[in-house]
Amino acid sequence: MAEPIKNRYDFEIIFDVENGNPNGDPDAGNMPRIDQETGLGLVTDVCLKRKIRNYVEAAKEDAPGYRIYVKDHVPLERNNREAYKYLGVDEKKIKEVKKKDADIDRKIRDFMCENFYDIRAFGAVMTTFVNAKLNCGQVRGPVQLDFARSVEPILAQEIGISRVTVSSEKEQEEGKHMMLGHKFIVPYGLYIAHGYISANLARKVTGFSEEDLALLWQAVINMFENDHSATRGSMAVRKLIVFKHESELGNAPAYQLFERIKVEKKDPEKPARAYSDYTVTVDDTDLPAGVTCIQMI
Amino acid sequence: MGYGVRVDVRGDFALFTRPEMKAERVSYDLITPSAARGVLEAIFWHPGLRWIIDEIRVLNPIKFTTVRRNEVGAKAKARVMWQAMVNGDRPPYIATPKDIMQRASLLLTDVHYVITAHFEMTSQAAASDNPGKFSEMFRRRLAKGQNYHQPYLGCREFPAQLCPCEEDVSLPIPEELRGEKDLGFMLYDMDYSDAAHIRPQFFRAVLRDGVLDLRGVEVFK
């Protein structure tokens, strides 16, 4: 397995939606999520993680070490025999290990981390053989995401649509030929999400490596490219700004770094309808010592 | 007590789940001592020390919001993983259509606390460790924004902003938090002294003028 990452990273993802619903709220009939107090649109952390998982699954097609644990699909066969590089010479030894081995949870944890990309990145909760070990079987991954929030209050618009099919045969017999439906769209919304990557958790827990990191950036940049659907409209990641710290512990508070990124609307009078209605500036002059700013896109 | 620390903590959202309402999570009104300990431990922790929270000051009005999310109900099973590992089976995965469930969470929004804490040395400390060293390490990391992992407010999707808090700042308390507020029983922390039986500890939380004083508080098991 490749070496774990050695630097802390904080990153900001700026993405937008045009005539689509970035993340429906199950509590509000699938309307776009809105912070009721401020009117700002929300996209949950888990929504973005799903996109990252889907991208990795599409890009790696279940290659060894890059499987995805939390899948979007129906389970396939579980007993597809396959030799694991991981086991190698040690296979016999592992067989000999008794179930009461105090270290068994750690071995299983390592096995999971080595096989599944999403566990290496985000962690997982697992039942354990030995009680009260490994903090109840919790694997904390190094990558942490927060809720994305829109820059300005969003307008959730309900669009009435008609469809030329009916739900039941009875309706067909009654002579109905079409029905009305509805969908929600946000005409335009620019959203910001923050992410944090702990090198300590990568080194001590999951072994998240430089290659994994490169794949993560690729996944973030392309997370909407493989996620087009009727509801999403057109979504795109506009900017991925990464602050790389020289040390494992980091060299500056994350929020101070994020404050260097300014998103402003060009014409405050006019409602924004395109990314070109905003300007994004990153102040990367005199960054704190040991911090470098990388604009991935 | 000479080695106390005071930290300014804020965040857009927070979720300090009440243990009695875990399926559809409901947050406590304010950060629990155990969550506050977790915030400090994200900055600096060592087996040789144990953080003890002395006081939590609430600086923003207590406000809630709800978020319902599609979540996964299943956990990875150690036994199944073990089989995959030994037999070389393809490892299993969680398929969301089968294991998905929608769960609501009642979150706190726009929180701001000042946490006062100190630490005690434990028997795990090496001979070369001393409180001064640990205290300096913590202060240095806090001032530089260094952390072991990004601290968070209850759940990892709610990151916390931390900065040092000057000792003698008199902080304004929101009007609605003036007077005495009984918040009922609240989780104090988990008792890890017996690893096989980790038990929760509770205390009676009373907020006086926005301050939760935990010094000498009576803890129930």
Side-chain angles (χ1 to χ4, degrees):
Chain A
M1 212 56 205
E3 254 187 88
I5 52 164
K6 294 196 170 59
N7 308 82
R8 184 183 121 188
Y9 296 86
D10 299 314
F11 58 98
E12 181 162 309
I13 312 167
I14 302 180
F15 62 93
D16 66 351
V17 57
E18 242 180 83
N19 296 331
N21 183 356
N23 187 199
D25 185 347
D27 261 347
N30 208 35
M31 237 174 85
R33 292 183 188 274
I34 289 182
D35 175 345
Q36 296 298 347
E37 244 175 349
T38 57
L40 298 176
L42 294 177
V43 172
T44 59
D45 59 313
V46 281
C47 173
L48 299 175
K49 285 191 204 169
R50 175 81 268 156
K51 311 267 180 283
I52 293 172
R53 286 185 166 110
N54 287 352
Y55 176 84
V56 172
E57 202 179 5
K60 289 287 177 182
E61 293 191 332
D62 256 2
Y66 289 96
R67 297 212 159 82
I68 293 297
Y69 190 64
V70 185
K71 289 211 190 205
D72 231 354
H73 311 198
V74 206
L76 302 166
E77 80 280 29
R78 287 196 171 184
N79 286 323
N80 187 359
R81 299 249 160 194
E82 211 177 301
Y84 275 97
K85 224 168 135 195
Y86 174 83
L87 295 167
V89 201
D90 282 325
E91 185 170 0
K92 286 226 173 76
K93 256 194 233 164
I94 290 174
K95 269 187 179 167
E96 285 160 23
V97 178
K98 283 181 198 138
K99 289 215 165 151
K100 286 289 164 213
D101 181 356
D103 227 16
I104 187 170
D105 285 335
R106 174 177 300 274
K107 282 178 190 155
I108 296 176
R109 181 189 81 181
D110 290 348
F111 175 77
M112 289 170 72
C113 289
E114 289 195 17
N115 276 286
F116 295 104
Y117 180 83
D118 55 341
I119 293 180
R120 255 189 340 268
F122 306 130
V125 182
M126 175 169 89
T127 61
T128 46
F129 282 130
V130 187
N131 279 338
K133 284 279 162 84
L134 276 181
N135 192 13
C136 310
Q138 191 187 27
V139 179
R140 267 188 309 181
V143 182
Q144 196 177 335
L145 286 174
D146 71 355
F147 279 15
R149 226 167 21 181
S150 65
V151 175
E152 286 186 291
I154 55 161
L155 170 78
Q157 230 174 318
E158 188 176 357
I159 306 278
I161 50 168
S162 59
R163 58 179 210 204
V164 287
T165 53
V166 288
S167 313
S168 64
E169 290 201 12
K170 194 170 162 254
E171 283 167 327
Q172 183 94 51
E173 282 160 18
E174 281 169 7
K176 284 188 184 163
H177 295 296
M178 63 170 271
M179 290 183 88
L180 292 176
H182 66 96
K183 60 198 240 175
F184 288 102
I185 62 161
V186 177
Y188 186 80
L190 190 66
Y191 288 76
I192 294 178
H194 295 120
Y196 310 86
I197 304 177
S198 156
N200 298 285
L201 292 176
R203 178 162 62 87
K204 291 180 188 154
V205 186
T206 71
F208 187 78
S209 69
E210 292 289 341
E211 288 91 276
D212 291 337
L213 184 71
L215 181 59
L216 179 78
W217 299 142
Q218 204 188 326
V220 169
I221 291 167
N222 294 301
M223 65 184 170
F224 299 118
E225 304 300 327
N226 292 295
D227 187 62
H228 294 300
S229 80
T231 40
R232 298 275 175 257
S234 109
M235 293 186 74
V237 173
R238 297 293 184 163
K239 284 242 181 258
L240 170 59
I241 300 148
V242 179
F243 293 100
K244 179 178 180 176
H245 299 252
E246 212 172 65
S247 65
E248 227 181 44
L249 292 170
N251 298 67
Y255 69 93
Q256 285 179 10
L257 299 174
F258 293 143
E259 279 167 5
R260 292 171 165 269
I261 304 169
K262 293 247 163 16
V263 180
E264 272 153 8
K265 194 150 87 171
K266 283 179 190 160
D267 181 357
E269 300 296 308
K270 215 179 88 193
R273 284 294 178 266
Y275 181 61
S276 55
D277 291 340
Y278 289 96
T279 40
V280 178
T281 48
V282 186
D283 174 18
D284 54 5
T285 52
D286 52 82
L287 282 162
V291 178
T292 42
C293 173
I294 311 156
Q295 294 199 41
M296 295 283 181
I297 50 166
Chain B
M1 249 303 300
Y3 291 106
V5 295
R6 193 173 268 196
V7 184
D8 180 295
V9 180
R10 39 188 111 185
D12 293 335
F13 299 100
L15 175 50
F16 309 109
T17 312
R18 289 173 184 267
E20 68 274 24
M21 284 180 269
K22 279 171 86 169
E24 302 248 316
R25 299 183 207 90
V26 175
S27 177
Y28 278 118
D29 293 331
L30 75 158
I31 189 168
T32 60
S34 77
R37 175 177 62 83
V39 166
L40 300 181
E41 284 176 354
I43 305 297
F44 178 71
W45 181 78
H46 183 280
L49 69 83
R50 184 171 62 234
W51 286 107
I52 292 155
I53 309 297
D54 297 320
E55 186 189 287
I56 295 166
R57 208 170 263 252
V58 186
L59 296 167
N60 276 2
I62 296 166
K63 284 182 299 188
F64 290 96
T65 188
T66 58
V67 167
R68 186 179 292 272
R69 287 178 282 184
N70 288 325
E71 299 179 13
V72 165
K75 281 186 197 170
K77 289 196 178 64
R79 196 164 295 279
V80 180
M81 281 292 167
W82 168 255
Q83 275 166 3
M85 195 166 139
V86 174
N87 301 333
D89 291 350
R90 191 192 179 91
Y93 52 82
I94 291 175
T96 45
K98 197 177 52 144
D99 291 317
I100 209 156
M101 45 173 73
Q102 286 189 344
R103 301 207 292 178
S105 306
L106 191 64
L107 317 176
L108 289 168
T109 60
D110 197 17
V111 299
H112 185 185
Y113 305 113
V114 167
I115 296 166
T116 311
H118 70 280
F119 60 82
E120 279 177 1
M121 302 296 281
T122 68
S123 55
Q124 305 268 309
S128 59
D129 293 332
N130 61 64
K133 174 179 152 185
F134 284 161
S135 168
E136 274 313 302
M137 285 175 84
F138 180 85
R139 275 167 216 277
R140 221 163 36 226
R141 286 194 187 180
L142 184 66
K144 284 188 187 166
Q146 297 186 318
N147 56 46
Y148 180 85
H149 61 81
Q150 179 67 31
Y152 50 85
L153 298 165
C155 297
R156 293 191 76 197
E157 57 270 37
F158 311 121
Q161 280 185 17
L162 257 62
C163 58
C165 182
E166 297 309 324
E167 285 295 325
D168 296 319
V169 175
S170 64
L171 297 148
I173 299 294
E175 208 47 53
E176 55 262 60
L177 292 180
R178 295 214 175 273
E180 195 172 288
K181 264 180 135 77
D182 188 345
L183 302 176
F185 280 97
M186 202 166 146
L187 180 76
Y188 182 76
D189 209 332
M190 303 300 281
D191 178 6
Y192 296 96
S193 53
D194 178 3
H197 302 281
I198 297 169
R199 294 168 62 191
Q201 301 167 305
F202 295 90
F203 72 107
R204 188 78 191 225
V206 181
L207 206 55
R208 287 186 186 86
D209 289 332
V211 177
L212 181 67
D213 193 345
L214 295 153
R215 294 177 191 94
V217 79
E218 193 186 352
V219 172
F220 305 92
K221 288 189 183 174

